[in-house]
Amino acid sequence: MKKMTLKKLFGGICCAAMAMFAVSCAQGVDDETWTSGVSGVQLESPAAESIAFSLATDASGNEQVKVQWPVSMGAGGYEVTVLNVNDPENPEVVVDHETVDGCSLLFPLAEDTNYEVSVLTLANEKYNNAGAASATTVPYSSMIGGQTIPAGTEIGQYITNWMVEHESEYMAAIAADPNFEWAFDLERGAAYTLDAPAKSGLVPIRLRGTQGVRPVVTVGEKGCLMPAAGLKIKNVNFDCEAMTATYGLIEMDKTRTDVPVNSNKVMQCPYPIRIESCWVRELAKSLFNIGHGAWGIKEFRMSDCMVQLNNKNDDQWTTFINAWQNKGVVNGAEGVSWYGAILNTYVLNSTVWNRYESATLKDKNYFIRFANQSIDKAVGSYNGVFDIKNSTLVRMVPRKDFGNNIANKNQYVITFENTNFWDCYRLQKVKRGGTYVWKNNTIWGVFNSVDSTDKKEIATEENMGFTDDNIFKAMDLTQPNGGVNFKATGTISSTIGDPRWLN
């Protein structure tokens, strides 16, 4: 199995052709050395087999897809459109009819995404050349290979068994290519159960649903996703009402005895943990939890998600993002190391709310917690980030400090931006000596009045106007936006927060 197979296919087909036209293309469409002599003709769009793809990194360090095509003599430029067609019935525009004065274009790379790229050759009035009658459209995919899990399957044991059976094969693949990942695909709109921990071992995996009509996974009492390396979840909905016996929907696997450790005897997860475009309902535990193990996590990222909790906040183990532990488990042995941290934490374009009544909540939980401030002992560096951007947080948490044991060095940068915090208390407890960026946030107190430092430094005190029929409501996975509406009404709050409420 090869990673990004269509990309490699197109690259192989087109590399020879690209070499032939690269020098002439570098001049740009206005160079008369290649436009002269071609006039009064009907131009054609580039042939499909001549359009090539490669990867590039922009100035900000973000990975991009570079699409290139051969020059059309006498052209007046090109018009390029890029669509995300993961949901073929509802394509999303990535690049909208952009005019290009050259023969290449960069667009953002998203994992596990199918694209359609169209290139249209434009007219050149100077040489009386008519534009192409139609664009050339070619597919491009960043999908990796994987295994489809049949609808109705209990996925915990299925994933565990599959990974045990293929472990030696996949570990050899990682040795050959450190970027190797394996994917499990869930059928469009299908129902699944998760009654046992899905242990994926030391191989990073992806759990993929389908955009538009997501599969639904009903999580049982002992169900969870339990990686010992990377995990990426995308386009999957989870019903966690019956999940009571595990620490989190995603919980690191402390049962392994062969996890790589650093000099401080902390188990290392060098691959990211990501949950994207997912809905989670009735979660009484953590979204992410390192359990009792000493873990150094490279990245935890939640983006474009809706997470609805029903959490009493009566158990410190149910902190929303938990990298705290108290047994020091390392490769099966207790009392070995007491560190635990996440280098880079992202909460982006998401809504999180706890429907439990504020007055009856307890005060044992945080939104985020590390084992101690010395995160370099766990992750090897202080050069990390904690970002909450373009999000809506409701009742997270009203009676407790927002964070605990966050890194205390200037290299560690905390950014809260364009986010609405409703019934959230003492955001300022994430301040421990790092570097802070507070930009365009609002906060509203309900159980407790707004902390003085919070409203002085971090957010503007403003009533967002959220209503009881939303803040106390369990998510309905069958309804648009889960059947709730967190559209804010304040002067500032109505312009920020999770983008889904701005439409």
Side-chain angles (χ1 to χ4, degrees):
M1 193 228 33
K2 297 287 187 180
K3 189 177 181 183
M4 298 186 183
T5 54
L6 285 179
K7 172 171 51 183
K8 291 181 179 292
L9 174 63
F10 279 113
I13 292 173
C14 301
C15 61
M18 291 302 298
M20 296 175 63
F21 70 78
V23 175
S24 62
C25 185
Q27 298 292 330
V29 297
D30 291 332
D31 188 337
E32 294 189 12
T33 61
W34 56 263
T35 58
S36 60
V38 179
S39 60
V41 300
Q42 171 83 52
L43 300 171
E44 295 184 356
S45 295
E49 61 270 18
S50 70
I51 298 175
F53 297 90
S54 60
L55 296 182
T57 302
D58 67 15
S60 300
N62 299 313
E63 201 167 23
Q64 306 275 303
V65 179
K66 184 175 185 179
V67 54
Q68 294 177 278
W69 55 89
V71 63
S72 296
M73 297 298 184
Y78 305 87
E79 183 181 87
V80 182
T81 298
V82 181
L83 301 177
N84 174 333
V85 292
N86 278 354
D87 182 0
E89 297 179 2
N90 298 284
E92 297 180 1
V93 176
V94 179
V95 176
D96 191 6
H97 296 88
E98 183 169 330
T99 299
V100 178
D101 187 17
C103 51
S104 68
L105 175 83
L106 294 175
F107 63 88
L109 173 67
E111 292 181 333
D112 287 330
T113 301
N114 294 315
Y115 298 95
E116 282 187 356
V117 179
S118 298
V119 182
L120 175 68
T121 301
L122 298 177
N124 188 330
E125 294 182 2
K126 179 178 179 179
Y127 293 96
N128 194 30
N129 292 332
S134 61
T136 298
T137 299
V138 295
Y140 175 77
S141 179
S142 61
M143 290 282 185
I144 64 169
Q147 169 68 18
T148 298
I149 303 178
T153 300
E154 193 285 304
I155 67 173
Q157 201 62 54
Y158 185 101
I159 290 173
T160 299
N161 291 345
W162 181 280
M163 296 306 292
V164 168
E165 181 180 350
H166 295 85
E167 183 172 31
S168 59
E169 172 190 347
Y170 296 162
M171 292 303 292
I174 290 174
D177 177 8
N179 295 315
F180 176 86
E181 299 174 81
W182 184 254
F184 291 96
D185 291 312
L186 304 183
E187 295 183 16
R188 182 180 178 87
Y192 296 86
T193 57
L194 175 58
D195 294 323
K199 297 184 177 183
S200 47
L202 298 180
V203 178
I205 70 165
R206 302 183 189 181
L207 183 65
R208 302 187 296 207
T210 50
Q211 187 173 324
V213 185
R214 301 188 192 100
V216 176
V217 176
T218 300
V219 186
E221 180 183 3
K222 298 180 180 180
C224 67
L225 299 165
M226 189 171 280
L231 172 66
K232 298 173 183 175
I233 314 163
K234 187 173 183 179
N235 293 319
V236 182
N237 290 345
F238 296 90
D239 187 339
C240 298
E241 187 168 0
M243 190 187 99
T244 58
T246 51
Y247 289 127
L249 178 60
I250 306 169
E251 181 181 327
M252 298 303 295
D253 187 356
K254 67 178 181 298
T255 67
R256 299 285 300 198
T257 60
D258 56 353
V259 180
V261 299
N262 68 5
S263 59
N264 297 299
K265 300 181 181 179
V266 179
M267 295 181 289
Q268 297 296 293
C269 179
Y271 303 98
I273 307 290
R274 295 176 181 169
I275 179 167
E276 178 182 350
S277 300
C278 295
W279 292 359
V280 181
R281 77 175 295 272
E282 289 291 87
L283 180 65
K285 304 291 184 176
S286 304
L287 180 66
F288 173 74
N289 202 312
I290 66 169
H292 288 293
W295 281 97
I297 309 297
K298 178 182 179 180
E299 176 188 312
F300 174 77
R301 180 187 299 258
M302 179 178 73
S303 60
D304 186 30
C305 289
M306 294 181 66
V307 180
Q308 175 257 309
L309 296 100
N310 188 5
N311 190 332
K312 297 178 183 179
N313 288 358
D314 60 348
D315 183 350
Q316 59 189 332
W317 285 104
T318 64
T319 287
F320 187 67
I321 301 171
N322 185 62
W324 174 81
Q325 50 89 11
N326 70 348
K327 289 191 177 180
V329 176
V330 177
N331 283 332
E334 292 190 7
V336 176
S337 179
W338 305 105
Y339 298 108
I342 305 167
L343 180 61
N344 298 305
T345 305
Y346 304 90
V347 177
L348 310 172
N349 304 321
S350 295
T351 296
V352 184
W353 79 102
N354 187 4
R355 75 179 185 92
Y356 212 88
E357 168 65 55
S358 298
T360 57
L361 283 173
K362 303 302 180 182
D363 63 356
K364 293 185 179 298
N365 291 48
Y366 305 86
F367 181 80
I368 184 171
R369 189 184 192 188
F370 297 164
N372 39 62
Q373 295 177 347
S374 301
I375 69 168
D376 63 320
K377 300 294 194 301
V379 295
S381 174
Y382 279 106
N383 293 311
V385 302
F386 173 30
D387 286 354
I388 301 179
K389 296 180 178 179
N390 304 302
S391 293
T392 299
L393 273 58
V394 174
R395 210 180 273 122
M396 300 297 296
V397 289
R399 304 178 66 145
K400 188 70 172 181
D401 301 342
F402 190 76
N404 182 254
N405 288 333
I406 306 304
N408 59 355
K409 301 296 183 182
N410 288 336
Q411 304 97 297
Y412 187 78
V413 180
I414 298 174
T415 302
F416 292 179
E417 183 175 352
N418 295 331
T419 294
N420 291 319
F421 297 92
W422 189 92
D423 206 10
C424 301
Y425 189 50
R426 290 201 288 227
L427 306 180
Q428 51 100 350
K429 289 300 181 179
V430 301
K431 294 179 59 179
R432 285 293 184 268
T435 298
Y436 313 108
V437 180
W438 320 120
K439 184 177 180 181
N440 205 33
N441 307 298
T442 68
I443 189 168
W444 187 246
V446 179
F447 179 80
N448 278 310
S449 58
V450 177
D451 176 81
S452 59
T453 302
D454 287 357
K455 63 184 177 182
K456 179 181 178 180
E457 298 182 15
I458 301 174
T460 300
E461 187 175 15
E462 179 178 285
N463 189 346
M464 298 143 212
F466 297 149
T467 60
D468 287 357
D469 58 343
N470 292 296
I471 60 178
F472 294 113
K473 189 172 186 177
M475 180 186 291
D476 184 341
L477 297 177
T478 69
Q479 296 298 312
N481 286 332
V484 296
N485 183 1
F486 286 100
K487 185 175 180 62
T489 59
T491 302
I492 301 172
S493 58
S494 62
T495 67
I496 61 175
D498 185 339
R500 80 189 74 227
W501 311 120
L502 300 180
N503 298 327

